């Protein structure tokens, strides 16, 4: 019989790119959570979205923050914008332990997305932006047109380079991964139904 964590990984789907599902798997594997606790742990990640960060593990807190960032809208003049967000290790600790710093980060992200793009009504193609946070009130910001460097390809290449290892990348880029994420969620739902039936992981 396979190791429970191997079974869970197989059930989720080895190729999934869903940050939340991968973080869930990592949390369980890192803490050697028993089979009977898998479902409870998954539900706790969802329920703790209204709880303060100090009650969560760092992985759970990052899932919580990712959901918060997902909910911050882009302004009407920025429908084509893409954004990457980087947070240092020190920044994560500060956010997790200090709700004021967490709010500072979320407010800075919201402000960046609501800035009026003067080029939008002139046929602008949108912008790329990279925001970087640490444990201070400083915000690193780099925004440039999707035609930066003279072409869409040049600008995309620059964005991919600048956003390497980012914690969060905007939905516009992640839309390409939607089908894989949906498949992974279906696999997880099926797994949870089996756990409901007998409180143990299936043999695969």
């Amino acid at each position: 019989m396979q190791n429970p964590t191997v079974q869970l990984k197989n059930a989720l789907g080895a190729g999934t790119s869903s940050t939340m599902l991968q973080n869930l798997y990592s949390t369980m594997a890192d803490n050697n959570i028993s089979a009977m606790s898998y479902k409870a742990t998954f539900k706790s990640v969802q329920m703790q979205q209204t709880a303060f960060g100090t009650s969560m593990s760092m992985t759970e807190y990052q899932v919580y923050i990712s959901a918060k960032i997902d909910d911050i809208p882009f302004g009407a003049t920025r429908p084509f914008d893409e954004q990457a967000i980087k947070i240092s290790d020190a920044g994560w600790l500060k956010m997790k332990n200090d709700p004021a710093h967490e709010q500072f980060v979320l407010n800075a992200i919201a402000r960046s997305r609501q800035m009026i793009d003067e080029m939008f009504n002139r046929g602008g193609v949108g912008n790329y932006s990279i925001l970087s946070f640490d444990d201070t009130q400083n915000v690193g910001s780099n925004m440039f047109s999707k035609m930066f460097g003279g072409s869409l390809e040049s600008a995309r290449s620059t964005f991919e380079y600048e956003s390497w290892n980012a914690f969060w990348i905007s939905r516009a880029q992640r839309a390409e991964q939607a089908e894989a994420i949906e498949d992974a969620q279906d696999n997880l739902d099926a797994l949870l139904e089996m756990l409901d039936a007998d409180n143990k992981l299936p043999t695969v």
Side-chain angles (χ1 to χ4, degrees), residues 17-181:
S17 57
S18 166
T19 300
M20 181 172 182
L21 297 182
Q22 293 287 25
N23 282 344
L24 172 64
Y25 165 72
S26 297
T27 299
M28 294 173 175
D30 290 347
N31 293 285
N32 194 28
I33 297 172
S34 67
M36 291 182 65
S37 299
Y38 280 107
K39 184 176 181 181
T41 300
F42 177 73
K43 286 191 173 181
S44 75
V45 171
Q46 294 177 313
M47 292 174 63
Q48 287 179 37
Q49 298 218 347
T50 58
F52 176 53
T54 53
S55 64
M56 306 180 201
S57 71
M58 181 56 78
T59 299
E60 289 171 333
Y61 181 69
Q62 289 174 335
V63 171
Y64 158 80
I65 289 297
S66 181
K68 287 277 191 181
I69 296 173
D70 281 344
D71 287 340
I72 300 175
F74 284 83
T77 63
R78 297 189 175 278
F80 310 121
D81 279 23
E82 297 183 46
Q83 187 174 69
I85 296 170
K86 297 183 175 184
I87 303 175
S88 70
D89 290 343
W92 278 116
L93 288 173
K94 179 75 170 178
M95 289 173 65
K96 187 174 184 297
N97 294 310
D98 183 352
H101 191 70
E102 175 189 297
Q103 196 58 53
F104 164 78
V105 170
L106 296 175
N107 287 346
I109 294 170
R111 284 195 302 273
S112 76
R113 296 180 181 184
Q114 290 302 317
M115 291 173 56
I116 295 175
D117 182 0
E118 301 290 350
M119 297 301 296
F120 175 69
N121 290 324
R122 303 178 190 176
V125 296
N127 306 282
Y128 293 118
S129 64
I130 301 94
L131 297 182
S132 302
F133 299 92
D134 56 20
D135 58 344
T136 71
Q137 298 286 298
N138 297 321
V139 181
S141 178
N142 183 17
M143 179 179 289
F144 51 91
S145 166
K146 286 191 171 183
M147 286 296 292
F148 177 77
S151 69
L152 294 171
E153 293 77 12
S154 175
R156 163 60 68 176
S157 178
T158 299
F159 179 66
E160 290 178 348
Y161 176 80
E162 295 289 339
S163 63
W164 181 82
N165 206 29
F167 162 71
W168 190 96
I169 300 178
S170 62
R171 289 183 181 277
Q173 181 168 334
R174 289 184 294 156
E176 301 172 0
Q177 304 171 348
E179 185 174 347
I181 293 173

